[in-house]
Amino acid sequence: MTHRVAIIGGDGIGPEVTAEALKVIHAAGVDLETTDFDLGGQRYLRDGVVLTDEILAELRSYDAILLGAVGTPDVPPGIIERGLLLRMRFELDLYINQRPFSGTAPGGTVAHEFVVIRENTEGPYVGEGGALRRGTLHEVATQGSVNTRMGVERCIRYAFELAAKGTRKHVTLVHKTNVLTFAGDLWQRTFDIVAADYPEIGTAYNHVDAACIYFVQDPHRYDVIVTDNLFGDILTDLGGAVSGGIGLASSANLNPARTGPSMFEPSHGSAPDIAGTGTANPTAAILSAALMLDFLGETEAADRVRAACADPVTGGTTQIGDAIAARLAG
Ligand code: IPM
Ligand code: MN
């Protein structure tokens, strides 16, 4: 079966790492029919297009979207992030951001797998708030965090379903319930209600600041972590840093209801400082492509891609891609 995949290489190292991901998928023997979409900061600088309704409608017709990285220093912050990346997450209802990690505790030798399930359509990301008297000494800025019972519950339920499929069967809620008492209360109560449906799954709660310490000192305590959009953003960068670096950190923006395509992208950005040098590590993009293969039902190929990435490869972008592709061919 041929899968139709929309490719958004994007900016900076995005197209470079995406090319290696496609090379590896091909080596794994999976047939993709791909279409390139020219989107990102460079496109915006050229003709002012971030994402039109027409392009979004076209993207909806694909089985999946594979994205490299978007953003360029010449465009003010927020335009591409909000107008392209967040708009796709919101409008395609990609309400789960799944980010797996392989962590090794200090002094430890055996890597340990854990996964962060980040709510991906709510929280402070929705853009609620505004500014008054901007540029004056009396300037006021507010930025609200939106948390709906429906949005929180479907995210938590996804985390429990994922834990139920695994062997360790444990879910940790991460929040800041001692300070964010309104949102925290909704998350904690909803977590407890969902947990009651999964008596075989162990649960824990960590404040987000404490979770930062555990990520570094004791990641072994984690199996599935569920958290809100902003905490999840921050925590998954830390997760990348403590498990081999952000060059290995993969991510899946999922619409589990499959009412449209899901989107797969490395957690890292466009790294304009190293773009064009051929030194970006494509492994995060390759592992994100493996998550895409999982979602497309190509689980056997996805497992082979992950196995091919297990032993670290050194070298430049294409050398790493070639070496991983060669392991699949051989
Ligand atoms: C990520 C990124 C995005 C986010 C930015 C680019 C909007 O940091 O995918 O983690 O904050 O979600
Ligand atoms: Mn981030």
Side-chain angles (χ1 to χ4, degrees):
M1 185 179 157
T2 304
H3 308 283
R4 295 180 65 247
V5 178
I7 309 292
I8 303 175
D11 302 309
I13 62 169
E16 303 168 26
V17 296
T18 305
E20 300 310 311
L22 289 171
K23 183 191 286 175
V24 168
I25 292 179
H26 184 72
V30 177
D31 238 359
L32 296 185
E33 185 191 317
T34 62
T35 310
D36 282 312
F37 284 78
D38 176 18
L39 294 169
Q42 292 308 324
R43 167 77 190 266
Y44 173 74
L45 288 172
R46 237 182 18 256
D47 64 6
V49 168
V50 180
L51 178 63
T52 62
D53 292 348
E54 291 70 29
I55 299 172
L56 188 61
E58 212 183 319
L59 286 171
R60 276 185 204 281
S61 73
Y62 285 82
D63 297 322
I65 301 166
L66 190 65
L67 186 142
V70 292
T72 167
D74 312 334
V75 178
I79 294 179
I80 305 300
E81 293 86 343
R82 296 209 70 86
L84 179 58
L85 204 57
L86 298 189
R87 187 165 175 215
M88 284 196 289
R89 287 179 184 172
F90 296 166
E91 297 219 22
L92 300 174
D93 206 17
L94 308 177
Y95 65 86
I96 295 298
N97 196 323
Q98 182 163 335
R99 296 185 162 175
F101 298 102
S102 180
T104 310
T109 47
V110 183
H112 157 69
E113 310 291 320
F114 63 103
V115 61
V116 175
I117 300 302
R118 162 187 177 188
E119 202 294 321
N120 212 29
T121 55
E122 300 193 338
Y125 276 69
V126 299
E128 197 249 15
L132 294 171
R133 310 185 202 110
R134 193 165 170 276
T136 74
L137 286 174
H138 301 279
E139 179 164 350
V140 181
T142 63
Q143 192 105 41
S145 174
V146 171
N147 300 263
T148 70
R149 169 62 196 263
M150 181 278 293
V152 170
E153 178 167 348
R154 65 183 182 174
C155 177
I156 293 173
R157 218 167 260 291
Y158 181 89
F160 275 86
E161 283 295 320
L162 189 66
K165 285 190 216 120
T167 51
R168 296 184 66 207
K169 304 204 185 300
H170 192 271
V171 183
T172 305
L173 171 65
V174 170
H175 207 280
K176 186 75 183 174
T177 55
N178 54 344
V179 174
L180 305 182
T181 51
F182 307 128
D185 176 50
L186 176 59
W187 275 84
Q188 183 71 70
R189 266 186 300 119
T190 308
F191 184 84
D192 294 342
I193 289 166
V194 174
D197 291 341
Y198 297 85
E200 77 283 13
I201 296 191
T203 61
Y205 170 79
N206 290 162
H207 290 318
V208 65
D209 45 354
C212 289
I213 297 176
Y214 301 143
F215 261 54
V216 176
Q217 295 189 342
D218 185 26
H220 287 72
R221 68 173 58 217
Y222 294 124
D223 175 19
V224 177
I225 294 165
V226 65
T227 191
D228 85 352
N229 206 342
L230 183 58
F231 294 146
D233 176 45
I234 298 165
L235 216 43
T236 54
D237 265 24
L238 183 58
V242 297
S243 54
I246 199 77
L248 303 182
S250 58
S251 121
N253 298 261
L254 303 177
N255 171 337
R258 295 180 187 263
T259 55
S262 290
M263 178 176 78
F264 301 82
E265 51 162 347
S267 292
H268 63 67
S270 56
D273 52 329
I274 59 162
T277 62
T279 56
N281 187 342
T283 309
I286 294 168
L287 290 172
S288 301
L291 293 172
M292 178 178 80
L293 294 181
D294 279 330
F295 207 71
L296 293 173
E298 303 279 358
T299 48
E300 184 264 342
D303 286 341
R304 281 193 291 118
V305 170
R306 275 185 287 269
C309 292
D311 280 332
V313 186
T314 49
T317 310
T318 53
Q319 283 159 304
I320 296 176
D322 286 345
I324 293 171
R327 286 174 183 167
L328 285 157

PDB file of all heavy atoms in Angstrom, residues 82 86 90 119 121-129 143-147 180 228-231:
ATOM      1  N   ARG A  82       3.082  30.549  15.153  1.00  0.00           N
ATOM      2  CA  ARG A  82       1.629  30.583  15.345  1.00  0.00           C
ATOM      3  C   ARG A  82       0.890  30.324  14.032  1.00  0.00           C
ATOM      4  O   ARG A  82      -0.104  29.611  13.995  1.00  0.00           O
ATOM      5  CB  ARG A  82       1.164  31.933  15.890  1.00  0.00           C
ATOM      6  CG  ARG A  82       1.677  32.290  17.274  1.00  0.00           C
ATOM      7  CD  ARG A  82       0.696  33.192  18.012  1.00  0.00           C
ATOM      8  NE  ARG A  82      -0.478  32.431  18.362  1.00  0.00           N
ATOM      9  CZ  ARG A  82      -0.588  31.692  19.469  1.00  0.00           C
ATOM     10  NH1 ARG A  82       0.385  31.639  20.345  1.00  0.00           N
ATOM     11  NH2 ARG A  82      -1.676  31.011  19.694  1.00  0.00           N
ATOM     12  N   LEU A  86       1.455  26.042  14.832  1.00  0.00           N
ATOM     13  CA  LEU A  86       0.334  25.940  15.768  1.00  0.00           C
ATOM     14  C   LEU A  86      -0.993  25.884  15.019  1.00  0.00           C
ATOM     15  O   LEU A  86      -1.916  25.194  15.427  1.00  0.00           O
ATOM     16  CB  LEU A  86       0.343  27.103  16.771  1.00  0.00           C
ATOM     17  CG  LEU A  86       1.587  27.184  17.674  1.00  0.00           C
ATOM     18  CD1 LEU A  86       1.395  28.220  18.771  1.00  0.00           C
ATOM     19  CD2 LEU A  86       1.956  25.843  18.280  1.00  0.00           C
ATOM     20  N   PHE A  90      -3.704  23.045  15.682  1.00  0.00           N
ATOM     21  CA  PHE A  90      -5.065  23.342  16.137  1.00  0.00           C
ATOM     22  C   PHE A  90      -6.100  22.896  15.103  1.00  0.00           C
ATOM     23  O   PHE A  90      -7.053  22.201  15.428  1.00  0.00           O
ATOM     24  CB  PHE A  90      -5.232  24.849  16.401  1.00  0.00           C
ATOM     25  CG  PHE A  90      -4.356  25.378  17.522  1.00  0.00           C
ATOM     26  CD1 PHE A  90      -4.166  26.753  17.683  1.00  0.00           C
ATOM     27  CD2 PHE A  90      -3.734  24.528  18.427  1.00  0.00           C
ATOM     28  CE1 PHE A  90      -3.367  27.244  18.714  1.00  0.00           C
ATOM     29  CE2 PHE A  90      -2.929  25.019  19.454  1.00  0.00           C
ATOM     30  CZ  PHE A  90      -2.739  26.383  19.595  1.00  0.00           C
ATOM     31  N   GLU A 119      -0.255  17.683  25.955  1.00  0.00           N
ATOM     32  CA  GLU A 119      -1.487  18.208  25.357  1.00  0.00           C
ATOM     33  C   GLU A 119      -1.048  19.234  24.325  1.00  0.00           C
ATOM     34  O   GLU A 119      -0.155  20.032  24.572  1.00  0.00           O
ATOM     35  CB  GLU A 119      -2.376  18.823  26.447  1.00  0.00           C
ATOM     36  CG  GLU A 119      -3.858  18.930  26.073  1.00  0.00           C
ATOM     37  CD  GLU A 119      -4.146  19.902  24.942  1.00  0.00           C
ATOM     38  OE1 GLU A 119      -3.497  20.976  24.913  1.00  0.00           O
ATOM     39  OE2 GLU A 119      -4.986  19.598  24.080  1.00  0.00           O
ATOM     40  N   THR A 121      -3.191  21.264  22.007  1.00  0.00           N
ATOM     41  CA  THR A 121      -4.121  22.219  21.380  1.00  0.00           C
ATOM     42  C   THR A 121      -4.662  23.275  22.350  1.00  0.00           C
ATOM     43  O   THR A 121      -5.517  24.065  21.972  1.00  0.00           O
ATOM     44  CB  THR A 121      -5.343  21.478  20.775  1.00  0.00           C
ATOM     45  OG1 THR A 121      -5.944  20.680  21.805  1.00  0.00           O
ATOM     46  CG2 THR A 121      -4.952  20.600  19.617  1.00  0.00           C
ATOM     47  N   GLU A 122      -4.196  23.246  23.614  1.00  0.00           N
ATOM     48  CA  GLU A 122      -4.775  24.176  24.599  1.00  0.00           C
ATOM     49  C   GLU A 122      -3.667  24.885  25.382  1.00  0.00           C
ATOM     50  O   GLU A 122      -2.608  25.168  24.853  1.00  0.00           O
ATOM     51  CB  GLU A 122      -5.713  23.395  25.544  1.00  0.00           C
ATOM     52  CG  GLU A 122      -6.868  22.715  24.823  1.00  0.00           C
ATOM     53  CD  GLU A 122      -7.939  22.215  25.781  1.00  0.00           C
ATOM     54  OE1 GLU A 122      -7.657  22.010  26.977  1.00  0.00           O
ATOM     55  OE2 GLU A 122      -9.085  22.037  25.322  1.00  0.00           O
ATOM     56  N   GLY A 123      -3.938  25.189  26.644  1.00  0.00           N
ATOM     57  CA  GLY A 123      -2.956  25.862  27.492  1.00  0.00           C
ATOM     58  C   GLY A 123      -2.708  27.293  27.030  1.00  0.00           C
ATOM     59  O   GLY A 123      -3.542  27.904  26.366  1.00  0.00           O
ATOM     60  N   PRO A 124      -1.546  27.837  27.369  1.00  0.00           N
ATOM     61  CA  PRO A 124      -1.234  29.222  26.982  1.00  0.00           C
ATOM     62  C   PRO A 124      -1.004  29.356  25.476  1.00  0.00           C
ATOM     63  O   PRO A 124      -0.880  30.464  24.965  1.00  0.00           O
ATOM     64  CB  PRO A 124       0.063  29.527  27.746  1.00  0.00           C
ATOM     65  CG  PRO A 124       0.302  28.382  28.641  1.00  0.00           C
ATOM     66  CD  PRO A 124      -0.477  27.222  28.147  1.00  0.00           C
ATOM     67  N   TYR A 125      -0.920  28.213  24.774  1.00  0.00           N
ATOM     68  CA  TYR A 125      -0.631  28.257  23.342  1.00  0.00           C
ATOM     69  C   TYR A 125      -1.782  28.789  22.505  1.00  0.00           C
ATOM     70  O   TYR A 125      -1.579  29.166  21.347  1.00  0.00           O
ATOM     71  CB  TYR A 125      -0.239  26.849  22.839  1.00  0.00           C
ATOM     72  CG  TYR A 125       1.223  26.551  23.059  1.00  0.00           C
ATOM     73  CD1 TYR A 125       1.727  26.368  24.341  1.00  0.00           C
ATOM     74  CD2 TYR A 125       2.104  26.460  21.989  1.00  0.00           C
ATOM     75  CE1 TYR A 125       3.067  26.099  24.546  1.00  0.00           C
ATOM     76  CE2 TYR A 125       3.443  26.202  22.186  1.00  0.00           C
ATOM     77  CZ  TYR A 125       3.926  26.027  23.459  1.00  0.00           C
ATOM     78  OH  TYR A 125       5.255  25.778  23.646  1.00  0.00           O
ATOM     79  N   VAL A 126      -3.007  28.796  23.042  1.00  0.00           N
ATOM     80  CA  VAL A 126      -4.145  29.180  22.198  1.00  0.00           C
ATOM     81  C   VAL A 126      -4.129  30.668  21.843  1.00  0.00           C
ATOM     82  O   VAL A 126      -4.817  31.093  20.921  1.00  0.00           O
ATOM     83  CB  VAL A 126      -5.502  28.812  22.848  1.00  0.00           C
ATOM     84  CG1 VAL A 126      -5.615  27.314  23.078  1.00  0.00           C
ATOM     85  CG2 VAL A 126      -5.717  29.557  24.147  1.00  0.00           C
ATOM     86  N   GLY A 127      -3.369  31.462  22.589  1.00  0.00           N
ATOM     87  CA  GLY A 127      -3.281  32.886  22.254  1.00  0.00           C
ATOM     88  C   GLY A 127      -4.319  33.735  22.956  1.00  0.00           C
ATOM     89  O   GLY A 127      -4.656  34.825  22.491  1.00  0.00           O
ATOM     90  N   GLU A 128      -4.827  33.250  24.076  1.00  0.00           N
ATOM     91  CA  GLU A 128      -5.782  34.044  24.834  1.00  0.00           C
ATOM     92  C   GLU A 128      -5.039  35.138  25.591  1.00  0.00           C
ATOM     93  O   GLU A 128      -3.967  34.898  26.147  1.00  0.00           O
ATOM     94  CB  GLU A 128      -6.543  33.155  25.826  1.00  0.00           C
ATOM     95  CG  GLU A 128      -7.807  33.777  26.347  1.00  0.00           C
ATOM     96  CD  GLU A 128      -7.752  34.156  27.809  1.00  0.00           C
ATOM     97  OE1 GLU A 128      -6.646  34.219  28.401  1.00  0.00           O
ATOM     98  OE2 GLU A 128      -8.822  34.397  28.377  1.00  0.00           O
ATOM     99  N   GLY A 129      -5.604  36.346  25.599  1.00  0.00           N
ATOM    100  CA  GLY A 129      -4.960  37.443  26.311  1.00  0.00           C
ATOM    101  C   GLY A 129      -4.781  38.646  25.413  1.00  0.00           C
ATOM    102  O   GLY A 129      -5.409  38.737  24.358  1.00  0.00           O
ATOM    103  N   GLN A 143      -1.754  36.693  29.451  1.00  0.00           N
ATOM    104  CA  GLN A 143      -1.726  35.537  28.544  1.00  0.00           C
ATOM    105  C   GLN A 143      -2.329  34.373  29.305  1.00  0.00           C
ATOM    106  O   GLN A 143      -1.720  33.846  30.231  1.00  0.00           O
ATOM    107  CB  GLN A 143      -0.274  35.236  28.150  1.00  0.00           C
ATOM    108  CG  GLN A 143      -0.147  34.262  27.005  1.00  0.00           C
ATOM    109  CD  GLN A 143       0.235  34.935  25.702  1.00  0.00           C
ATOM    110  OE1 GLN A 143       1.067  35.830  25.664  1.00  0.00           O
ATOM    111  NE2 GLN A 143      -0.346  34.500  24.609  1.00  0.00           N
ATOM    112  N   GLY A 144      -3.546  34.044  28.959  1.00  0.00           N
ATOM    113  CA  GLY A 144      -4.274  33.025  29.731  1.00  0.00           C
ATOM    114  C   GLY A 144      -3.966  31.620  29.273  1.00  0.00           C
ATOM    115  O   GLY A 144      -3.526  31.386  28.152  1.00  0.00           O
ATOM    116  N   SER A 145      -4.209  30.673  30.184  1.00  0.00           N
ATOM    117  CA  SER A 145      -4.065  29.265  29.850  1.00  0.00           C
ATOM    118  C   SER A 145      -5.459  28.664  29.759  1.00  0.00           C
ATOM    119  O   SER A 145      -6.222  28.717  30.717  1.00  0.00           O
ATOM    120  CB  SER A 145      -3.254  28.557  30.939  1.00  0.00           C
ATOM    121  OG  SER A 145      -3.215  27.173  30.692  1.00  0.00           O
ATOM    122  N   VAL A 146      -5.788  28.138  28.584  1.00  0.00           N
ATOM    123  CA  VAL A 146      -7.122  27.571  28.375  1.00  0.00           C
ATOM    124  C   VAL A 146      -7.061  26.058  28.575  1.00  0.00           C
ATOM    125  O   VAL A 146      -6.251  25.380  27.943  1.00  0.00           O
ATOM    126  CB  VAL A 146      -7.641  27.921  26.961  1.00  0.00           C
ATOM    127  CG1 VAL A 146      -8.923  27.152  26.651  1.00  0.00           C
ATOM    128  CG2 VAL A 146      -7.860  29.424  26.847  1.00  0.00           C
ATOM    129  N   ASN A 147      -7.893  25.554  29.472  1.00  0.00           N
ATOM    130  CA  ASN A 147      -7.929  24.116  29.738  1.00  0.00           C
ATOM    131  C   ASN A 147      -9.388  23.689  29.739  1.00  0.00           C
ATOM    132  O   ASN A 147     -10.155  24.177  30.566  1.00  0.00           O
ATOM    133  CB  ASN A 147      -7.328  23.809  31.109  1.00  0.00           C
ATOM    134  CG  ASN A 147      -5.883  24.253  31.216  1.00  0.00           C
ATOM    135  OD1 ASN A 147      -4.962  23.465  31.041  1.00  0.00           O
ATOM    136  ND2 ASN A 147      -5.665  25.534  31.480  1.00  0.00           N
ATOM    137  N   LEU A 180      -1.017  26.737  40.317  1.00  0.00           N
ATOM    138  CA  LEU A 180      -2.040  26.914  39.275  1.00  0.00           C
ATOM    139  C   LEU A 180      -3.276  26.133  39.709  1.00  0.00           C
ATOM    140  O   LEU A 180      -3.588  25.066  39.173  1.00  0.00           O
ATOM    141  CB  LEU A 180      -1.505  26.437  37.930  1.00  0.00           C
ATOM    142  CG  LEU A 180      -0.182  27.094  37.498  1.00  0.00           C
ATOM    143  CD1 LEU A 180       0.252  26.589  36.132  1.00  0.00           C
ATOM    144  CD2 LEU A 180      -0.294  28.621  37.485  1.00  0.00           C
ATOM    145  N   ASP A 228       0.475  19.354  30.464  1.00  0.00           N
ATOM    146  CA  ASP A 228      -0.166  20.342  29.585  1.00  0.00           C
ATOM    147  C   ASP A 228       0.810  20.831  28.506  1.00  0.00           C
ATOM    148  O   ASP A 228       1.974  20.418  28.454  1.00  0.00           O
ATOM    149  CB  ASP A 228      -0.814  21.477  30.403  1.00  0.00           C
ATOM    150  CG  ASP A 228       0.158  22.598  30.773  1.00  0.00           C
ATOM    151  OD1 ASP A 228       1.387  22.465  30.547  1.00  0.00           O
ATOM    152  OD2 ASP A 228      -0.306  23.623  31.309  1.00  0.00           O
ATOM    153  N   ASN A 229       0.322  21.725  27.674  1.00  0.00           N
ATOM    154  CA  ASN A 229       1.066  22.127  26.480  1.00  0.00           C
ATOM    155  C   ASN A 229       2.398  22.809  26.822  1.00  0.00           C
ATOM    156  O   ASN A 229       3.463  22.418  26.313  1.00  0.00           O
ATOM    157  CB  ASN A 229       0.161  23.064  25.657  1.00  0.00           C
ATOM    158  CG  ASN A 229       0.499  23.060  24.173  1.00  0.00           C
ATOM    159  OD1 ASN A 229       1.579  22.639  23.779  1.00  0.00           O
ATOM    160  ND2 ASN A 229      -0.420  23.528  23.359  1.00  0.00           N
ATOM    161  N   LEU A 230       2.374  23.784  27.709  1.00  0.00           N
ATOM    162  CA  LEU A 230       3.603  24.540  28.011  1.00  0.00           C
ATOM    163  C   LEU A 230       4.584  23.722  28.848  1.00  0.00           C
ATOM    164  O   LEU A 230       5.783  23.681  28.548  1.00  0.00           O
ATOM    165  CB  LEU A 230       3.254  25.842  28.721  1.00  0.00           C
ATOM    166  CG  LEU A 230       4.445  26.769  29.020  1.00  0.00           C
ATOM    167  CD1 LEU A 230       5.192  27.156  27.747  1.00  0.00           C
ATOM    168  CD2 LEU A 230       3.974  28.023  29.754  1.00  0.00           C
ATOM    169  N   PHE A 231       4.090  23.055  29.892  1.00  0.00           N
ATOM    170  CA  PHE A 231       4.992  22.206  30.684  1.00  0.00           C
ATOM    171  C   PHE A 231       5.596  21.132  29.775  1.00  0.00           C
ATOM    172  O   PHE A 231       6.778  20.796  29.887  1.00  0.00           O
ATOM    173  CB  PHE A 231       4.248  21.543  31.840  1.00  0.00           C
ATOM    174  CG  PHE A 231       3.758  22.507  32.891  1.00  0.00           C
ATOM    175  CD1 PHE A 231       2.562  22.277  33.567  1.00  0.00           C
ATOM    176  CD2 PHE A 231       4.494  23.636  33.223  1.00  0.00           C
ATOM    177  CE1 PHE A 231       2.111  23.160  34.534  1.00  0.00           C
ATOM    178  CE2 PHE A 231       4.044  24.516  34.204  1.00  0.00           C
ATOM    179  CZ  PHE A 231       2.845  24.278  34.856  1.00  0.00           C
TER     180      PHE A 231
END
